[in-house]
Amino acid sequence: MIPEPTVRTVSDGVARVSWPAMPEEGDFRAAVASISGAVERALADHGRVEAWLDPEDTVSHRLATWSGMHREGVMRGGVLADGEHRDRIVYARLASDAPLGEPAGFRALLNSFLPRKRAISQLLVRDPDGRVLMCRLTYKKDWDLPGGVVEVGESPQLAAGREVLEELGLEVTPGRLLLTDWLPSWSGWDDALCLVFDGGVVSTSALDAVVREEREIAGVQFCDPADVRAHAADFTARRVEAALAALVDGTTYTESGR
């Protein structure tokens, strides 16, 4: 059975399209034609047409995508159902979106729903004795390598240098990639890739030039492997050890430091 979409104006220039749940074995192509037609008609006098979909309704997610609607994100607790606030996944198409028949339009549609991973860049900086520069952080008890989250559209290698400059006031040019460490989902965080770049060897006196970003950095010091193990989380200690090994053995890949 083909779902018959309904369209209603929800605010000035914004329409919302909805349709009944459709079984997997339904006429998918006919449903896409019906929904995409409703969307295009609504765009004739609306700048935006959106759909709020149940996260569990995977068929409707496919229908929305094939109908040219971009996935925009999660409206947490967006609807009240059976006395509970339930999430909804928001899809939308704008009158200004490039046509799907054009390469730019198709790429933009794919980009809206393909998976994305958080990236973290860090630097492995050593002193002449081989000790590793570690940061004591204000927002967690475990020590970590200097670095931080890569911004959207930013080079991970440049991000490592930017973060160290912002947080420590040190200008360090990131060298080659030593380690790609995959971090699984943990304690409310999505999974991420941590990229560790070679920060080279600096004088121990470089600590005298540190200007801490005090909201994030409580202190910095060079640590030998035993100190790293004592003050860092297990997976961080394993990452540091793997990065040190990569200085000799070449670039490597780990998962949670293993």
Side-chain angles (χ1 to χ4, degrees), residues 53-65:
L53 304 181
D54 186 331
E56 304 299 322
D57 187 356
T58 57
V59 176
S60 283
H61 289 249
R62 293 175 55 225
L63 288 171
T65 300

Side-chain angles (χ1 to χ4, degrees), residues 5 68 129:
D129 294 325

Side-chain angles (χ1 to χ4, degrees), residues 4-241:
E4 289 296 329
T6 59
V7 178
R8 61 187 178 90
T9 299
V10 292
S11 62
D12 189 22
V14 179
R16 189 170 301 158
V17 61
S18 59
W19 55 87
M22 175 180 167
E24 285 282 0
E25 65 272 13
D27 191 337
F28 187 81
R29 291 187 179 275
V32 168
S34 177
I35 294 168
S36 59
V39 169
E40 290 304 315
R41 289 191 295 273
L43 286 174
D45 49 10
H46 296 85
R48 170 187 173 88
V49 178
E50 62 185 27
W52 288 21
L53 304 181
D54 186 331
E56 304 299 322
D57 187 356
T58 57
V59 176
S60 283
H61 289 249
R62 293 175 55 225
L63 288 171
T65 300
W66 279 66
S67 298
M69 305 183 79
H70 293 213
R71 179 176 171 132
E72 295 186 337
V74 181
M75 179 67 72
R76 295 190 304 137
V79 299
L80 186 64
D82 299 325
E84 295 184 4
H85 287 278
R86 306 288 179 84
D87 293 351
R88 287 296 179 262
I89 310 298
V90 180
Y91 287 77
R93 185 158 186 82
L94 307 184
S96 58
D97 285 340
L100 292 178
E102 296 181 2
F106 185 63
R107 288 195 299 268
L109 178 65
L110 288 179
N111 190 60
S112 76
F113 68 83
L114 288 175
R116 302 179 185 184
K117 284 193 186 295
R118 182 178 294 108
I120 301 165
S121 284
Q122 296 182 326
L123 280 183
L124 185 75
V125 180
R126 289 90 62 208
D127 72 359
D129 294 325
R131 296 180 300 174
V132 175
L133 186 65
M134 298 291 289
C135 297
R136 291 187 287 116
L137 305 174
T138 60
Y139 51 87
K140 63 179 182 180
K141 64 179 182 179
D142 301 319
W143 296 15
D144 210 343
L145 290 169
V149 175
V150 181
E151 301 291 346
V152 175
E154 183 180 31
S155 153
Q157 188 176 42
L158 295 181
R162 173 188 58 75
E163 284 283 346
V164 171
L165 180 61
E166 291 177 355
E167 295 184 349
L168 303 181
L170 296 178
E171 290 195 33
V172 180
T173 300
R176 69 181 178 93
L177 177 66
L178 297 174
L179 175 69
T180 299
D181 187 28
W182 177 67
L183 306 178
S185 301
W186 174 79
S187 190
W189 290 103
D190 292 338
D191 71 325
L193 290 175
C194 183
L195 308 175
V196 183
F197 294 89
D198 187 357
V201 176
V202 301
S203 169
T204 305
S205 63
L207 293 184
D208 297 335
V210 167
V211 179
R212 290 183 293 111
E213 167 45 75
E214 295 186 354
R215 291 174 299 179
E216 298 187 32
I217 308 299
V220 293
Q221 68 184 69
F222 286 104
C223 297
D224 61 27
D227 288 334
V228 173
R229 275 282 171 189
H231 297 295
D234 286 345
F235 63 87
T236 300
R238 291 193 297 268
R239 184 188 311 140
V240 171
E241 292 163 0

